[in-house]
Amino acid sequence: MSQTELFRVLAAIVLLLAAAHAGGRLFARLRQPPVVGEILGGLLLGPTVLGRLLPRAESWLFPGEGPVAFGPSLIYQLGMLLLMFTAGAEMVTLFSRRDGRSVALIALTGMALPFGIGLLAVQVVDIGSLLGPADDATALTLILTCAVAVTSIPVISRIMLDLGIIRTRFAQTVLSVAVVEDVILNVVISVALGMVAGSQGDAFGLSHTLGVTSTDASAVYHSVASVAFFGLMALVAALMRRRSRAGTAPRTGDGGAAGGRTDSVAVRMAVLLAVCGGCVYLGVAPMFGAFVVGLLSGRTGHGPPGDSLGQVRGFAAGFFIPVYFATVGLKLDLVHSFDPWFTAGFILLACAAKALSAYAGARLAKRPKSEAIDLAVALNARGGPGIVLATVSFDAGIVNASFFTTLVLTAIITSQLAGWWLERAVARGVFVTSEPYPPRQHDESASVPVKAEGG
C-alpha cells in the first residue's frame, strides 16, 4: 500500500468515525436512537449527498474496490461481528422464568405468523425484481420472512431505559421474547447466507469439500451445521461453567492486575475471531458465530463493569460499531435505489404482520388488551438486528440495492414508531402501576444493552 493509499484509508476512517459520533450525539440529544444519527452521518458521506455534490471527492475517499476500499471494509466487517457479539452478551440476564409461558407463546406466535404471511406474500408477489447477484429465490424468501419477524433488543431496551420502565414486567417480557426470537432467526439467516456462500465464485469450506451443490442439499446441510454449531458451543459453555464452579477455571473478570485484564481481552477477541473463522469454513454465517460467542460469554463471564467483557464492549461501542453503522449509511443511495411506494408497502406489511402476531400471542397468554397492544408495538422495533440482516444479505448478493434500502429504512422507521408509542404510553401513566422486578446484582452492566447498537 502506497503512502497516498494509506492517507486515503485513514481519511476515510476518520471521516466515518467523526460523522457517526456527531450524528449519534445529535440524535441522543433529540431523544432519538443514536444509531439513526450514526447511519445519517454515513449517508451524508455517500452517494446520496456527497456523491451528488462532489462526486470526484466521494469516489476518491470511498472507492468501490482496491486497496483503499479494503481498510474501511475490514473495520465494517469487524464492527458487525462485534455488534452481534455484544448483542449476544447482553441477552443472558434478560429472561425471567416467571413469565416463561407468556414469553414462549408470544415468541412462537410472533415468528410463526410473520413467516406464514411472508411466505404467502412471496407466492402472490413476484420477488424477481428484489433478487441480488446471487439469484437465489429460496435465500431471498428466508431473508424476507426474517425481515418481517425480527425484533431489536438494543434499540427497544434503550428506549425503555430512557423512559424509566426497564424494571417493569412489560419490559422484561419484551426483552425475553426478543431473546428467543433472535436466537431462532439468526439460525434461519445463517442458513440463507450459507446457501449462497459459493455463488460468488469463491467455493470454499466443508460443504464444497463434501460436494454439496444442489439447493435442497445446501439448505439441509446449512440447517444442520448451524444447529450443530450452536449445540457444540452450548456444550463448551456448560463445561466451562462446571469448571468455574469447581474452582479450576481462571476468572475472566478484572482479576486485579491490569496485565491480567489485557490478557483476558486478548483471549476473548482471539476466541471470537477463531470461532468466526471456523464458521466461515463450516458454512455458518460468521455473524451467527459472533452472536453465539457473545451469548455464551454473558453466561460464563465474571466480574463488575470493569471486566474484560465490559472492556471489549466499550471499545467496540466507541469505534467499530459506529463505523459499521456509518458504513451502512454510506451504502445507501436514496437517489437511485429508493422505491418509496414499495418501501411504504413493505413497512405496512411488516408492521401489520408483526403487530398482529405479537398481539395474538399476548392474548393467548391472557395479557390484558391494552398491554397486548403495547407489546405489539414494542416488538415491531427492528433496529440493529434489522440493519444487520439488511447488510449481510446485501453483501452476500441475496438482495439488490433497492431492497437493501427498504430493509434499512424499515428498521429505522419501526424503531422510531416504537419509541414514539411507548413515550406516549408512559405519559398516559400506563406503566405506573406495572409490577416491577427487583434489581439484580451487576445489573447495570449486564441487563441493559445501552451501547450495543450505537446507543
Side-chain angles (χ1 to χ4, degrees), residues 1-13 60-61 63 65-72:
M1 179 179 290
S2 68
Q3 293 299 302
T4 302
E5 290 171 337
L6 177 60
F7 175 81
R8 292 168 64 188
V9 169
L10 294 176
I13 295 173
W60 188 81
L61 283 168
E65 55 185 18
V68 177
F70 178 76

Side-chain angles (χ1 to χ4, degrees), residues 19-29 31-43 83 152 154-156 158-159 162 317 321-329 332 381-388 408 411-416 450-455:
H21 277 285
R25 290 187 179 186
L26 173 62
F27 271 64
R29 290 188 177 185
R31 296 180 59 84
Q32 300 298 317
V35 60
V36 180
E38 293 171 351
I39 294 174
L40 178 62
L43 184 73
L83 171 63
S152 169
V155 158
I156 195 62
R158 180 57 187 264
I159 290 171
D162 289 342
I321 295 176
V323 172
Y324 166 74
F325 282 120
T327 306
V328 172
L332 291 174
R382 287 159 175 85
I387 293 169
V388 170
V408 172
I412 293 173
I413 292 172
T414 54
S415 299
Q416 297 289 99
V450 175
K451 290 295 291 180
E453 202 173 334

Side-chain angles (χ1 to χ4, degrees), residues 227-279:
V227 174
F229 167 78
F230 185 84
L232 176 62
M233 294 298 293
L235 177 61
V236 171
L239 294 175
M240 290 177 62
R241 288 198 303 274
R242 182 176 299 178
R243 290 185 60 196
S244 179
R245 293 193 196 102
T248 59
R251 290 176 66 87
T252 57
D254 56 355
R261 290 195 296 270
T262 303
D263 290 344
S264 297
V265 171
V267 169
R268 286 190 185 276
M269 288 302 301
V271 170
L272 172 63
L273 297 178
V275 170
C276 290
C279 286

